Amino acid sequence: MAVTEHTGTRVKTRVPALSLRNVEKAFGQVTALSCVNLDAQVGEIHFVVGDNGAGKSTTLKILAGMHTADAGEISLNGTPVHFADASDAKAQGIAVVHQNLALVECLDVATNMSLGAIPKRGFMLDRKAMEREAEAVLSDLKVRVGSVRTQIGLLSGGERQIVAIARAVRMNLPIILLDEPTAALGVRETAHVGEILQELRRKGKTVICISHDLDFVFKLADKVTVMRLGKSVATLTADQARHDLVVGLITGSIDAAQIEKRSHD
Ligand SMILES: Nc1ncnc2c1ncn2[C@@H]1O[C@H](COP(=O)(O)OP(=O)(O)OP(=O)(O)O)[C@@H](O)[C@H]1O
Ligand SMILES: [Mg+2]
């Protein structure tokens, strides 16, 4: 079995749309990431899994320009990049849906979806364009939230989550990062998010998604990177990603190096 063990060496033939090499990050005395490697391709749904505190959100925030790595390299299409801040990462093609949603409760759906890219006519907010755009994106994603004038605070947790995803999809950027997009969702809404991810894949986007929901992961993943204690320990392809193996890598009862060794014996 050809499990990619993360040794920091470049072994891929296709240039990844997004690549992390030996990324490290500490917060004061806390080492959040000690060695993270990840390669995600165009048109791929790439899951990142791992226990609480494994470093998944920190990795995503580095990719979203919210944290700066202490060491290591990020590349987009083979070119090393640096993100000054979140808007710089966005300008370089990265959209993100965070674990804590970052929607403004007192504003309506349409305004929330436009935050960061509000349509204007001259200096004036173009309210009609904003509503039209929000309606178009939501209907494209088959999302029903009543009116786009509904205040976000009045929606259910699941509906808010879908609006947050719709906002990121609206940006139409090549890379989309999602941190636990189904955590607050019921079965039907989870399936709906799955359909949205598949549609993004069909459109050739690179989707990187953190999830604890392994059923969701196995249903959709092209690749699964397992993180443990601040390290990416292995990346598995869809056919390698068996439940027991992934759980073993997450908990540490299976060592990626041993799998690699066994497969060569
Ligand atoms: N801003 C911060 N300041 C200090 N420590 C932090 C900060 N952000 C994360 N950490 C620490 O870094 C480690 C990794 O956290 P991170 O949020 O990346 O984990 P996670 O894999 O996303 O976990 P979860 O599944 O619970 O969301 C944890 O020990 C956490 O306490
Ligand atoms: Mg997290």
Side-chain angles (χ1 to χ4, degrees):
M1 186 192 297
V3 173
T4 312
E5 192 198 341
H6 284 168
T7 53
T9 45
R10 234 176 247 273
V11 288
K12 288 277 179 298
T13 45
R14 221 164 21 126
V15 177
L18 180 150
S19 168
L20 287 180
R21 279 292 147 248
N22 300 326
V23 165
E24 297 175 22
K25 177 73 185 171
F27 297 101
Q29 298 296 308
V30 180
T31 302
L33 305 178
S34 53
C35 184
V36 177
N37 288 285
L38 189 148
D39 286 321
Q41 303 288 350
V42 165
E44 170 172 300
I45 303 180
H46 194 124
F47 278 96
V48 178
V49 300
D51 248 337
N52 296 124
K56 305 178 297 298
S57 295
T58 304
T59 301
L60 204 98
K61 285 177 185 166
I62 287 173
L63 288 175
M66 297 170 70
H67 293 320
T68 306
D70 299 333
E73 191 176 274
I74 306 174
S75 305
L76 297 179
N77 301 310
T79 307
V81 291
H82 171 79
F83 303 134
D85 54 27
S87 57
D88 188 20
K90 190 172 146 195
Q92 296 194 51
I94 298 181
V96 57
V97 182
H98 288 289
Q99 193 166 16
N100 325 319
L101 290 177
L103 296 173
V104 184
E105 299 227 347
C106 60
L107 297 177
D108 65 18
V109 170
T111 314
N112 266 283
M113 285 184 62
S114 304
L115 289 176
I118 300 220
K120 295 211 177 99
R121 220 177 337 160
F123 291 112
M124 302 291 285
L125 162 82
D126 189 345
R127 176 79 217 177
K128 283 222 173 71
M130 192 162 89
E131 290 184 4
R132 251 195 332 268
E133 245 183 70
E135 273 160 7
V137 174
L138 291 173
S139 96
D140 213 29
L141 298 175
K142 301 180 190 67
V143 177
R144 277 185 298 274
V145 288
S147 159
V148 292
R149 296 183 187 171
T150 310
Q151 258 185 36
I152 285 289
L154 299 176
L155 300 181
S156 76
E159 289 167 335
R160 283 183 220 192
Q161 182 67 55
I162 303 255
V163 169
I165 294 170
R167 179 172 66 174
V169 170
R170 170 186 176 264
M171 294 175 195
N172 196 22
L173 297 174
I175 295 169
I176 180 160
L177 315 175
L178 304 103
D179 196 347
E180 295 283 0
T182 62
L185 303 190
V187 174
R188 222 188 48 199
E189 289 161 323
T190 298
H192 190 177
V193 173
E195 284 162 20
I196 293 174
L197 298 194
Q198 282 169 322
E199 180 60 23
L200 289 168
R201 169 167 58 195
R202 267 193 295 277
K203 287 185 175 154
K205 308 291 185 191
T206 301
V207 180
I208 298 182
C209 183
I210 295 174
S211 183
H212 279 109
D213 180 350
L214 290 184
D215 289 336
F216 184 71
V217 171
F218 293 131
K219 209 170 283 168
L220 295 162
D222 296 304
K223 301 257 182 63
V224 181
T225 289
V226 182
M227 290 192 63
R228 183 173 151 69
L229 304 174
K231 292 188 174 68
S232 52
V233 291
T235 295
L236 310 172
T237 57
D239 40 325
Q240 293 166 340
R242 290 190 333 263
H243 194 277
D244 56 339
L245 177 57
V246 171
V247 171
L249 289 166
I250 289 173
T251 59
S253 68
I254 298 176
D255 183 352
Q258 280 173 351
I259 302 169
E260 184 81 344
K261 190 163 160 289
R262 257 187 277 155
S263 69
H264 291 301
D265 287 344

